[in-house]
PDB file of all heavy atoms in Angstrom:
ATOM      1  N   VAL R1499       8.324  -4.179 -22.435  1.00 96.00           N
ATOM      2  CA  VAL R1499       8.712  -2.842 -21.950  1.00 96.00           C
ATOM      3  C   VAL R1499      10.004  -2.769 -21.355  1.00 96.00           C
ATOM      4  O   VAL R1499      10.332  -3.665 -20.488  1.00 96.00           O
ATOM      5  CB  VAL R1499       7.567  -2.412 -21.010  1.00 96.00           C
ATOM      6  CG1 VAL R1499       7.920  -1.050 -20.455  1.00 96.00           C
ATOM      7  CG2 VAL R1499       6.251  -2.258 -21.673  1.00 96.00           C
ATOM      8  N   THR R1500      10.948  -1.928 -21.597  1.00 96.00           N
ATOM      9  CA  THR R1500      12.251  -1.860 -21.022  1.00 96.00           C
ATOM     10  C   THR R1500      12.314  -0.889 -19.851  1.00 96.00           C
ATOM     11  O   THR R1500      13.122  -1.061 -18.919  1.00 96.00           O
ATOM     12  CB  THR R1500      13.350  -1.607 -22.055  1.00 96.00           C
ATOM     13  OG1 THR R1500      13.033  -0.289 -22.587  1.00 96.00           O
ATOM     14  CG2 THR R1500      13.364  -2.667 -23.119  1.00 96.00           C
ATOM     15  N   SER R1501      11.493   0.055 -19.852  1.00 97.00           N
ATOM     16  CA  SER R1501      11.657   1.152 -18.822  1.00 97.00           C
ATOM     17  C   SER R1501      10.208   1.604 -18.430  1.00 97.00           C
ATOM     18  O   SER R1501       9.430   1.947 -19.277  1.00 97.00           O
ATOM     19  CB  SER R1501      12.551   2.356 -19.261  1.00 97.00           C
ATOM     20  OG  SER R1501      12.450   3.349 -18.231  1.00 97.00           O
ATOM     21  N   GLY R1502       9.894   1.650 -17.094  1.00 98.00           N
ATOM     22  CA  GLY R1502       8.525   2.134 -16.727  1.00 98.00           C
ATOM     23  C   GLY R1502       8.181   1.711 -15.276  1.00 98.00           C
ATOM     24  O   GLY R1502       9.003   1.443 -14.480  1.00 98.00           O
ATOM     25  N   ILE R1503       6.868   1.559 -15.113  1.00 98.00           N
ATOM     26  CA  ILE R1503       6.362   1.125 -13.800  1.00 98.00           C
ATOM     27  C   ILE R1503       5.373  -0.044 -14.067  1.00 98.00           C
ATOM     28  O   ILE R1503       4.537   0.152 -14.837  1.00 98.00           O
ATOM     29  CB  ILE R1503       5.625   2.213 -13.039  1.00 98.00           C
ATOM     30  CG1 ILE R1503       6.665   3.302 -12.725  1.00 98.00           C
ATOM     31  CG2 ILE R1503       4.966   1.686 -11.808  1.00 98.00           C
ATOM     32  CD1 ILE R1503       5.953   4.573 -12.011  1.00 98.00           C
ATOM     33  N   ALA R1504       5.577  -1.114 -13.372  1.00 98.00           N
ATOM     34  CA  ALA R1504       4.652  -2.233 -13.412  1.00 98.00           C
ATOM     35  C   ALA R1504       3.719  -2.320 -12.257  1.00 98.00           C
ATOM     36  O   ALA R1504       4.101  -2.077 -11.091  1.00 98.00           O
ATOM     37  CB  ALA R1504       5.401  -3.573 -13.406  1.00 98.00           C
ATOM     38  N   CYS R1505       2.443  -2.524 -12.448  1.00 98.00           N
ATOM     39  CA  CYS R1505       1.426  -2.657 -11.340  1.00 98.00           C
ATOM     40  C   CYS R1505       1.138  -4.250 -11.264  1.00 98.00           C
ATOM     41  O   CYS R1505       0.641  -4.773 -12.217  1.00 98.00           O
ATOM     42  CB  CYS R1505       0.197  -1.883 -11.741  1.00 98.00           C
ATOM     43  SG  CYS R1505      -1.104  -2.244 -10.479  1.00 98.00           S
ATOM     44  N   VAL R1506       1.630  -4.829 -10.120  1.00 98.00           N
ATOM     45  CA  VAL R1506       1.346  -6.305  -9.969  1.00 98.00           C
ATOM     46  C   VAL R1506       0.058  -6.259  -9.055  1.00 98.00           C
ATOM     47  O   VAL R1506       0.105  -5.968  -7.899  1.00 98.00           O
ATOM     48  CB  VAL R1506       2.429  -6.962  -9.255  1.00 98.00           C
ATOM     49  CG1 VAL R1506       2.170  -8.382  -9.037  1.00 98.00           C
ATOM     50  CG2 VAL R1506       3.771  -6.709 -10.059  1.00 98.00           C
ATOM     51  N   PHE R1507      -1.067  -6.732  -9.511  1.00 98.00           N
ATOM     52  CA  PHE R1507      -2.381  -6.511  -9.014  1.00 98.00           C
ATOM     53  C   PHE R1507      -3.134  -7.739  -8.590  1.00 98.00           C
ATOM     54  O   PHE R1507      -3.103  -8.711  -9.441  1.00 98.00           O
ATOM     55  CB  PHE R1507      -3.208  -5.599  -9.884  1.00 98.00           C
ATOM     56  CG  PHE R1507      -4.576  -5.505  -9.378  1.00 98.00           C
ATOM     57  CD1 PHE R1507      -4.867  -4.385  -8.443  1.00 98.00           C
ATOM     58  CD2 PHE R1507      -5.710  -6.024  -9.940  1.00 98.00           C
ATOM     59  CE1 PHE R1507      -6.101  -4.210  -7.920  1.00 98.00           C
ATOM     60  CE2 PHE R1507      -7.004  -5.787  -9.409  1.00 98.00           C
ATOM     61  CZ  PHE R1507      -7.181  -4.934  -8.481  1.00 98.00           C
ATOM     62  N   CYS R1508      -3.694  -7.888  -7.443  1.00 98.00           N
ATOM     63  CA  CYS R1508      -4.342  -9.071  -6.996  1.00 98.00           C
ATOM     64  C   CYS R1508      -5.818  -8.726  -7.006  1.00 98.00           C
ATOM     65  O   CYS R1508      -6.394  -7.972  -6.241  1.00 98.00           O
ATOM     66  CB  CYS R1508      -3.937  -9.323  -5.578  1.00 98.00           C
ATOM     67  SG  CYS R1508      -4.862 -10.671  -4.870  1.00 98.00           S
TER      68      CYS R1508
END
Side-chain angles (χ1 to χ4, degrees):
Chain R
V1499 177
T1500 56
S1501 172
I1503 296 175
C1505 176
V1506 181
F1507 179 74
C1508 176

